[in-house]
mmCIF file with all atom_site columns, all heavy atoms in Angstrom:
data_model
loop_
_atom_site.group_PDB
_atom_site.id
_atom_site.type_symbol
_atom_site.label_atom_id
_atom_site.label_alt_id
_atom_site.label_comp_id
_atom_site.label_asym_id
_atom_site.label_entity_id
_atom_site.label_seq_id
_atom_site.pdbx_PDB_ins_code
_atom_site.Cartn_x
_atom_site.Cartn_y
_atom_site.Cartn_z
_atom_site.occupancy
_atom_site.B_iso_or_equiv
_atom_site.pdbx_formal_charge
_atom_site.auth_seq_id
_atom_site.auth_comp_id
_atom_site.auth_asym_id
_atom_site.auth_atom_id
_atom_site.pdbx_PDB_model_num
ATOM 1   N N   . ASN A 1 3  ? 2.095   5.084  0.698  1.00 70.00 ? 235 ASN A N   1
ATOM 2   C CA  . ASN A 1 3  ? 2.063   5.967  1.847  1.00 70.00 ? 235 ASN A CA  1
ATOM 3   C C   . ASN A 1 3  ? 1.183   7.164  1.506  1.00 70.00 ? 235 ASN A C   1
ATOM 4   O O   . ASN A 1 3  ? 1.584   8.027  0.736  1.00 70.00 ? 235 ASN A O   1
ATOM 5   C CB  . ASN A 1 3  ? 3.489   6.404  2.198  1.00 70.00 ? 235 ASN A CB  1
ATOM 6   C CG  . ASN A 1 3  ? 3.577   7.003  3.570  1.00 70.00 ? 235 ASN A CG  1
ATOM 7   O OD1 . ASN A 1 3  ? 2.604   7.012  4.318  1.00 70.00 ? 235 ASN A OD1 1
ATOM 8   N ND2 . ASN A 1 3  ? 4.746   7.512  3.908  1.00 70.00 ? 235 ASN A ND2 1
ATOM 9   N N   . GLN A 1 4  ? -0.038  7.204  2.042  1.00 80.00 ? 236 GLN A N   1
ATOM 10  C CA  . GLN A 1 4  ? -0.991  8.250  1.704  1.00 80.00 ? 236 GLN A CA  1
ATOM 11  C C   . GLN A 1 4  ? -1.192  9.199  2.879  1.00 80.00 ? 236 GLN A C   1
ATOM 12  O O   . GLN A 1 4  ? -1.233  8.776  4.026  1.00 80.00 ? 236 GLN A O   1
ATOM 13  C CB  . GLN A 1 4  ? -2.330  7.647  1.312  1.00 80.00 ? 236 GLN A CB  1
ATOM 14  C CG  . GLN A 1 4  ? -2.250  6.795  0.062  1.00 80.00 ? 236 GLN A CG  1
ATOM 15  C CD  . GLN A 1 4  ? -3.593  6.184  -0.267 1.00 80.00 ? 236 GLN A CD  1
ATOM 16  O OE1 . GLN A 1 4  ? -4.557  6.333  0.460  1.00 80.00 ? 236 GLN A OE1 1
ATOM 17  N NE2 . GLN A 1 4  ? -3.659  5.484  -1.382 1.00 80.00 ? 236 GLN A NE2 1
ATOM 18  N N   . THR A 1 5  ? -1.320  10.474 2.567  1.00 84.00 ? 237 THR A N   1
ATOM 19  C CA  . THR A 1 5  ? -1.618  11.470 3.572  1.00 84.00 ? 237 THR A CA  1
ATOM 20  C C   . THR A 1 5  ? -3.128  11.608 3.675  1.00 84.00 ? 237 THR A C   1
ATOM 21  O O   . THR A 1 5  ? -3.807  11.772 2.667  1.00 84.00 ? 237 THR A O   1
ATOM 22  C CB  . THR A 1 5  ? -1.001  12.829 3.191  1.00 84.00 ? 237 THR A CB  1
ATOM 23  O OG1 . THR A 1 5  ? 0.395   12.654 2.999  1.00 84.00 ? 237 THR A OG1 1
ATOM 24  C CG2 . THR A 1 5  ? -1.251  13.870 4.243  1.00 84.00 ? 237 THR A CG2 1
ATOM 25  N N   . LYS A 1 6  ? -3.654  11.546 4.890  1.00 89.00 ? 238 LYS A N   1
ATOM 26  C CA  . LYS A 1 6  ? -5.092  11.695 5.086  1.00 89.00 ? 238 LYS A CA  1
ATOM 27  C C   . LYS A 1 6  ? -5.463  13.168 5.087  1.00 89.00 ? 238 LYS A C   1
ATOM 28  O O   . LYS A 1 6  ? -4.775  13.993 5.671  1.00 89.00 ? 238 LYS A O   1
ATOM 29  C CB  . LYS A 1 6  ? -5.523  11.067 6.408  1.00 89.00 ? 238 LYS A CB  1
ATOM 30  C CG  . LYS A 1 6  ? -5.444  9.572  6.405  1.00 89.00 ? 238 LYS A CG  1
ATOM 31  C CD  . LYS A 1 6  ? -6.034  9.014  7.663  1.00 89.00 ? 238 LYS A CD  1
ATOM 32  C CE  . LYS A 1 6  ? -5.953  7.503  7.641  1.00 89.00 ? 238 LYS A CE  1
ATOM 33  N NZ  . LYS A 1 6  ? -6.588  6.918  8.822  1.00 89.00 ? 238 LYS A NZ  1
ATOM 34  N N   . VAL A 1 7  ? -6.548  13.465 4.408  1.00 89.00 ? 239 VAL A N   1
ATOM 35  C CA  . VAL A 1 7  ? -7.073  14.824 4.384  1.00 89.00 ? 239 VAL A CA  1
ATOM 36  C C   . VAL A 1 7  ? -7.922  15.009 5.633  1.00 89.00 ? 239 VAL A C   1
ATOM 37  O O   . VAL A 1 7  ? -8.745  14.158 5.962  1.00 89.00 ? 239 VAL A O   1
ATOM 38  C CB  . VAL A 1 7  ? -7.924  15.069 3.116  1.00 89.00 ? 239 VAL A CB  1
ATOM 39  C CG1 . VAL A 1 7  ? -8.501  16.461 3.114  1.00 89.00 ? 239 VAL A CG1 1
ATOM 40  C CG2 . VAL A 1 7  ? -7.093  14.820 1.866  1.00 89.00 ? 239 VAL A CG2 1
ATOM 41  N N   . GLN A 1 8  ? -7.708  16.108 6.326  1.00 95.00 ? 240 GLN A N   1
ATOM 42  C CA  . GLN A 1 8  ? -8.470  16.370 7.541  1.00 95.00 ? 240 GLN A CA  1
ATOM 43  C C   . GLN A 1 8  ? -9.539  17.417 7.270  1.00 95.00 ? 240 GLN A C   1
ATOM 44  O O   . GLN A 1 8  ? -9.304  18.389 6.548  1.00 95.00 ? 240 GLN A O   1
ATOM 45  C CB  . GLN A 1 8  ? -7.545  16.822 8.659  1.00 95.00 ? 240 GLN A CB  1
ATOM 46  C CG  . GLN A 1 8  ? -6.579  15.733 9.077  1.00 95.00 ? 240 GLN A CG  1
ATOM 47  C CD  . GLN A 1 8  ? -5.732  16.160 10.255 1.00 95.00 ? 240 GLN A CD  1
ATOM 48  O OE1 . GLN A 1 8  ? -5.566  17.346 10.523 1.00 95.00 ? 240 GLN A OE1 1
ATOM 49  N NE2 . GLN A 1 8  ? -5.210  15.196 10.969 1.00 95.00 ? 240 GLN A NE2 1
ATOM 50  N N   . PHE A 1 9  ? -10.703 17.207 7.861  1.00 96.00 ? 241 PHE A N   1
ATOM 51  C CA  . PHE A 1 9  ? -11.843 18.083 7.665  1.00 96.00 ? 241 PHE A CA  1
ATOM 52  C C   . PHE A 1 9  ? -12.407 18.562 8.994  1.00 96.00 ? 241 PHE A C   1
ATOM 53  O O   . PHE A 1 9  ? -12.279 17.885 10.003 1.00 96.00 ? 241 PHE A O   1
ATOM 54  C CB  . PHE A 1 9  ? -12.973 17.335 6.928  1.00 96.00 ? 241 PHE A CB  1
ATOM 55  C CG  . PHE A 1 9  ? -12.664 17.022 5.503  1.00 96.00 ? 241 PHE A CG  1
ATOM 56  C CD1 . PHE A 1 9  ? -12.101 15.807 5.156  1.00 96.00 ? 241 PHE A CD1 1
ATOM 57  C CD2 . PHE A 1 9  ? -12.954 17.928 4.500  1.00 96.00 ? 241 PHE A CD2 1
ATOM 58  C CE1 . PHE A 1 9  ? -11.819 15.504 3.833  1.00 96.00 ? 241 PHE A CE1 1
ATOM 59  C CE2 . PHE A 1 9  ? -12.684 17.631 3.176  1.00 96.00 ? 241 PHE A CE2 1
ATOM 60  C CZ  . PHE A 1 9  ? -12.114 16.418 2.839  1.00 96.00 ? 241 PHE A CZ  1
ATOM 61  N N   . TYR A 1 10 ? -13.048 19.728 8.961  1.00 97.00 ? 242 TYR A N   1
ATOM 62  C CA  . TYR A 1 10 ? -13.837 20.231 10.072 1.00 97.00 ? 242 TYR A CA  1
ATOM 63  C C   . TYR A 1 10 ? -15.306 20.203 9.667  1.00 97.00 ? 242 TYR A C   1
ATOM 64  O O   . TYR A 1 10 ? -15.643 20.427 8.505  1.00 97.00 ? 242 TYR A O   1
ATOM 65  C CB  . TYR A 1 10 ? -13.495 21.687 10.390 1.00 97.00 ? 242 TYR A CB  1
ATOM 66  C CG  . TYR A 1 10 ? -12.170 21.934 11.049 1.00 97.00 ? 242 TYR A CG  1
ATOM 67  C CD1 . TYR A 1 10 ? -11.368 22.990 10.630 1.00 97.00 ? 242 TYR A CD1 1
ATOM 68  C CD2 . TYR A 1 10 ? -11.727 21.164 12.113 1.00 97.00 ? 242 TYR A CD2 1
ATOM 69  C CE1 . TYR A 1 10 ? -10.163 23.258 11.241 1.00 97.00 ? 242 TYR A CE1 1
ATOM 70  C CE2 . TYR A 1 10 ? -10.511 21.425 12.731 1.00 97.00 ? 242 TYR A CE2 1
ATOM 71  C CZ  . TYR A 1 10 ? -9.739  22.471 12.292 1.00 97.00 ? 242 TYR A CZ  1
ATOM 72  O OH  . TYR A 1 10 ? -8.537  22.736 12.903 1.00 97.00 ? 242 TYR A OH  1
ATOM 73  N N   . SER A 1 11 ? -16.161 19.986 10.636 1.00 96.00 ? 243 SER A N   1
ATOM 74  C CA  . SER A 1 11 ? -17.595 20.166 10.420 1.00 96.00 ? 243 SER A CA  1
ATOM 75  C C   . SER A 1 11 ? -17.940 21.620 10.748 1.00 96.00 ? 243 SER A C   1
ATOM 76  O O   . SER A 1 11 ? -17.125 22.367 11.303 1.00 96.00 ? 243 SER A O   1
ATOM 77  C CB  . SER A 1 11 ? -18.388 19.229 11.337 1.00 96.00 ? 243 SER A CB  1
ATOM 78  O OG  . SER A 1 11 ? -18.221 19.628 12.691 1.00 96.00 ? 243 SER A OG  1
ATOM 79  N N   . ILE A 1 12 ? -19.143 22.012 10.440 1.00 96.00 ? 244 ILE A N   1
ATOM 80  C CA  . ILE A 1 12 ? -19.590 23.355 10.797 1.00 96.00 ? 244 ILE A CA  1
ATOM 81  C C   . ILE A 1 12 ? -19.566 23.513 12.316 1.00 96.00 ? 244 ILE A C   1
ATOM 82  O O   . ILE A 1 12 ? -19.164 24.552 12.837 1.00 96.00 ? 244 ILE A O   1
ATOM 83  C CB  . ILE A 1 12 ? -20.990 23.646 10.210 1.00 96.00 ? 244 ILE A CB  1
ATOM 84  C CG1 . ILE A 1 12 ? -20.914 23.701 8.682  1.00 96.00 ? 244 ILE A CG1 1
ATOM 85  C CG2 . ILE A 1 12 ? -21.553 24.956 10.759 1.00 96.00 ? 244 ILE A CG2 1
ATOM 86  C CD1 . ILE A 1 12 ? -22.251 23.841 7.990  1.00 96.00 ? 244 ILE A CD1 1
ATOM 87  N N   . ASN A 1 13 ? -19.953 22.468 13.025 1.00 96.00 ? 245 ASN A N   1
ATOM 88  C CA  . ASN A 1 13 ? -19.897 22.495 14.492 1.00 96.00 ? 245 ASN A CA  1
ATOM 89  C C   . ASN A 1 13 ? -18.479 22.715 14.995 1.00 96.00 ? 245 ASN A C   1
ATOM 90  O O   . ASN A 1 13 ? -18.261 23.476 15.935 1.00 96.00 ? 245 ASN A O   1
ATOM 91  C CB  . ASN A 1 13 ? -20.423 21.184 15.075 1.00 96.00 ? 245 ASN A CB  1
ATOM 92  C CG  . ASN A 1 13 ? -21.828 21.302 15.594 1.00 96.00 ? 245 ASN A CG  1
ATOM 93  O OD1 . ASN A 1 13 ? -22.306 22.395 15.875 1.00 96.00 ? 245 ASN A OD1 1
ATOM 94  N ND2 . ASN A 1 13 ? -22.481 20.170 15.732 1.00 96.00 ? 245 ASN A ND2 1
ATOM 95  N N   . ASP A 1 14 ? -17.515 22.028 14.376 1.00 97.00 ? 246 ASP A N   1
ATOM 96  C CA  . ASP A 1 14 ? -16.113 22.192 14.775 1.00 97.00 ? 246 ASP A CA  1
ATOM 97  C C   . ASP A 1 14 ? -15.682 23.646 14.641 1.00 97.00 ? 246 ASP A C   1
ATOM 98  O O   . ASP A 1 14 ? -15.074 24.218 15.553 1.00 97.00 ? 246 ASP A O   1
ATOM 99  C CB  . ASP A 1 14 ? -15.184 21.318 13.920 1.00 97.00 ? 246 ASP A CB  1
ATOM 100 C CG  . ASP A 1 14 ? -15.379 19.834 14.117 1.00 97.00 ? 246 ASP A CG  1
ATOM 101 O OD1 . ASP A 1 14 ? -15.845 19.422 15.200 1.00 97.00 ? 246 ASP A OD1 1
ATOM 102 O OD2 . ASP A 1 14 ? -15.062 19.076 13.172 1.00 97.00 ? 246 ASP A OD2 1
ATOM 103 N N   . ILE A 1 15 ? -15.983 24.243 13.499 1.00 96.00 ? 247 ILE A N   1
ATOM 104 C CA  . ILE A 1 15 ? -15.578 25.626 13.245 1.00 96.00 ? 247 ILE A CA  1
ATOM 105 C C   . ILE A 1 15 ? -16.283 26.568 14.215 1.00 96.00 ? 247 ILE A C   1
ATOM 106 O O   . ILE A 1 15 ? -15.666 27.496 14.754 1.00 96.00 ? 247 ILE A O   1
ATOM 107 C CB  . ILE A 1 15 ? -15.859 26.014 11.782 1.00 96.00 ? 247 ILE A CB  1
ATOM 108 C CG1 . ILE A 1 15 ? -14.975 25.185 10.853 1.00 96.00 ? 247 ILE A CG1 1
ATOM 109 C CG2 . ILE A 1 15 ? -15.637 27.512 11.557 1.00 96.00 ? 247 ILE A CG2 1
ATOM 110 C CD1 . ILE A 1 15 ? -15.300 25.321 9.393  1.00 96.00 ? 247 ILE A CD1 1
ATOM 111 N N   . SER A 1 16 ? -17.549 26.305 14.464 1.00 97.00 ? 248 SER A N   1
ATOM 112 C CA  . SER A 1 16 ? -18.305 27.109 15.421 1.00 97.00 ? 248 SER A CA  1
ATOM 113 C C   . SER A 1 16 ? -17.644 27.072 16.799 1.00 97.00 ? 248 SER A C   1
ATOM 114 O O   . SER A 1 16 ? -17.498 28.105 17.459 1.00 97.00 ? 248 SER A O   1
ATOM 115 C CB  . SER A 1 16 ? -19.740 26.573 15.491 1.00 97.00 ? 248 SER A CB  1
ATOM 116 O OG  . SER A 1 16 ? -20.474 27.234 16.486 1.00 97.00 ? 248 SER A OG  1
ATOM 117 N N   . ASP A 1 17 ? -17.223 25.893 17.222 1.00 97.00 ? 249 ASP A N   1
ATOM 118 C CA  . ASP A 1 17 ? -16.553 25.737 18.517 1.00 97.00 ? 249 ASP A CA  1
ATOM 119 C C   . ASP A 1 17 ? -15.184 26.408 18.528 1.00 97.00 ? 249 ASP A C   1
ATOM 120 O O   . ASP A 1 17 ? -14.820 27.079 19.490 1.00 97.00 ? 249 ASP A O   1
ATOM 121 C CB  . ASP A 1 17 ? -16.395 24.266 18.879 1.00 97.00 ? 249 ASP A CB  1
ATOM 122 C CG  . ASP A 1 17 ? -17.714 23.591 19.226 1.00 97.00 ? 249 ASP A CG  1
ATOM 123 O OD1 . ASP A 1 17 ? -18.708 24.306 19.494 1.00 97.00 ? 249 ASP A OD1 1
ATOM 124 O OD2 . ASP A 1 17 ? -17.749 22.349 19.216 1.00 97.00 ? 249 ASP A OD2 1
#
Side-chain angles (χ1 to χ4, degrees):
N235 195 5
Q236 296 178 356
T237 304
K238 290 187 180 183
V239 178
Q240 295 184 339
F241 291 93
Y242 287 137
S243 67
I244 293 174
N245 258 340
D246 294 334
I247 294 171
S248 175
D249 290 343

